[in-house]
């Protein structure tokens, strides 16, 4: 029997772990998948614990998870395969690093999440623009608003350069809502751009599977 590929994946902001795991399994049918949602993305000790607890042959970081993997890559085994999907060098549109979101937009999202507003309504609006088609019933699996806010602050306060991506396969959709694929290619020369794809992980995972399994 063919040995299963072990995959540890770091989820995107407000993306349910179970849904993301299903998408990975669809692209990599013969795999053992563990998906993690970092509760405090800034925390180095948490990152080290996650990566030491879940060793894998392939590590995937999606969206926020891509920036997380790039920031904490010193804890990854040197002989593993590493991939970033919808790779974030910087989420904000400052510094010409490919981010499209203004600081005002991000601070507004943090503000409305901090209020006693309906989390489901906030996320429904966000994902309408993000093109992430998971069932609304799975919103209840998303972490608390406090953890969501920590994730947004991580995106607000952290960035990397293209040099940090050297050991990663990098894949993005050409029509990504949050990231400018053309600008990112200036920083990541080997960036693979998937035609007609957006921010959703599904087509990016399928392209990654072609690269890994062929």
């Amino acid at each position: 029997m063919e040995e299963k590929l072990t995959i540890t994946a770091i989820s995107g902001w407000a993306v349910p772990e179970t849904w993301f795991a299903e998408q990975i399994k669809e692209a990599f049918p013969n795999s053992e998948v563990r998906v993690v949602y970092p509760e405090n993305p800034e925390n180095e000790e948490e990152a080290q614990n996650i990566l030491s607890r879940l060793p894998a042959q392939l590590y995937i970081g999606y969206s926020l998870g891509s920036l997380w993997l790039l920031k904490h890559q010193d804890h990854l085994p040197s002989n593993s395969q590493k991939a970033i999907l919808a790779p974030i060098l910087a989420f904000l549109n400052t510094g010409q690093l490919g981010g499209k979101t203004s600081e005002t937009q991000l601070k507004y999202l943090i503000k409305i999440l901090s209020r006693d507003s309906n989390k489901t309504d906030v996320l429904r609006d966000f994902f309408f623009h993000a093109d992430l088609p998971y069932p609304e019933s799975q919103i209840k699996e998303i972490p608390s608003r406090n953890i969501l806010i920590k994730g947004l602050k991580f995106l607000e306060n952290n960035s990397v350069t293209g040099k940090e991506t050297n050991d990663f396969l990098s894949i993005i959709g050409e029509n990504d809502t949050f990231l400018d694929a053309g600008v990112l290619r200036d920083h990541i020369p080997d960036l693979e751009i998937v035609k007609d794809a957006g921010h959703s992980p599904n087509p990016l995972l399928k392209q990654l599977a072609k690269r890994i399994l062929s």
Side-chain angles (χ1 to χ4, degrees):
M1 183 180 293
E2 186 181 354
E3 184 182 353
K4 286 192 173 186
L5 176 69
T6 56
I7 300 174
T8 293
I10 310 301
S11 196
W13 185 78
V15 174
E17 294 168 62
T18 51
W19 179 81
F20 189 37
E22 288 166 7
Q23 310 315 303
I24 297 171
K25 285 288 288 184
E26 187 178 316
F28 294 88
N30 189 32
S31 63
E32 180 185 333
V33 179
R34 290 81 56 90
V35 173
V36 180
Y37 193 108
E39 294 188 0
N40 187 358
E42 297 272 5
N43 190 285
E44 188 79 19
E45 186 176 348
E46 180 189 83
Q48 186 172 6
N49 287 340
I50 289 170
L51 294 172
S52 63
R53 180 167 47 86
L54 299 172
Q57 295 163 295
L58 171 62
Y59 293 86
I60 300 172
Y62 166 63
S63 194
L64 180 148
S66 70
L67 182 58
W68 188 92
L69 270 188
L70 292 171
K71 293 288 287 187
H72 300 297
Q73 64 178 286
D74 287 348
H75 303 299
L76 294 170
S78 59
N79 61 345
S80 61
Q81 291 181 295
K82 311 167 186 71
I84 43 179
L85 310 180
I88 293 176
L89 303 183
F91 191 66
L92 297 181
N93 61 359
T94 54
Q96 293 298 304
L97 288 170
K100 291 182 179 179
T101 302
S102 72
E103 187 175 6
T104 301
Q105 289 171 312
L106 188 59
K107 284 187 181 298
Y108 176 72
L109 188 53
I110 292 171
K111 183 177 179 179
I112 59 175
L113 269 174
S114 301
R115 293 176 184 163
D116 191 23
S117 52
N118 187 311
K119 183 175 77 171
T120 299
D121 289 342
V122 175
L123 295 176
R124 187 189 295 119
D125 181 63
F126 177 84
F127 287 129
F128 173 79
H129 298 292
D131 182 33
L132 291 175
Y134 63 76
E136 192 171 306
S137 61
Q138 289 188 280
I139 284 180
K140 61 178 183 242
E141 297 178 30
I142 293 167
S144 69
R145 74 179 68 232
N146 184 45
I147 293 173
L148 291 175
I149 290 168
K150 283 182 182 179
L152 291 175
K153 288 184 175 177
F154 174 74
L155 291 173
E156 179 182 16
N157 297 323
N158 288 274
S159 64
V160 294
T161 67
K163 289 184 291 186
E164 282 91 343
T165 69
N166 288 345
D167 294 330
F168 291 79
L169 290 170
S170 305
I171 302 174
I172 192 171
E174 70 170 344
N175 301 321
D176 194 296
T177 307
F178 300 108
L179 302 165
D180 188 313
V183 172
L184 276 171
R185 188 154 53 183
D186 291 338
H187 298 281
I188 311 173
D190 293 329
L191 178 67
E192 193 163 350
I193 300 176
V194 180
K195 190 174 175 56
D196 297 326
H199 194 73
S200 174
N202 311 61
L204 311 182
L205 284 164
K206 288 174 183 172
Q207 185 60 32
L208 177 63
K210 284 183 186 176
R211 294 283 304 277
I212 296 285
L213 302 177
S214 61

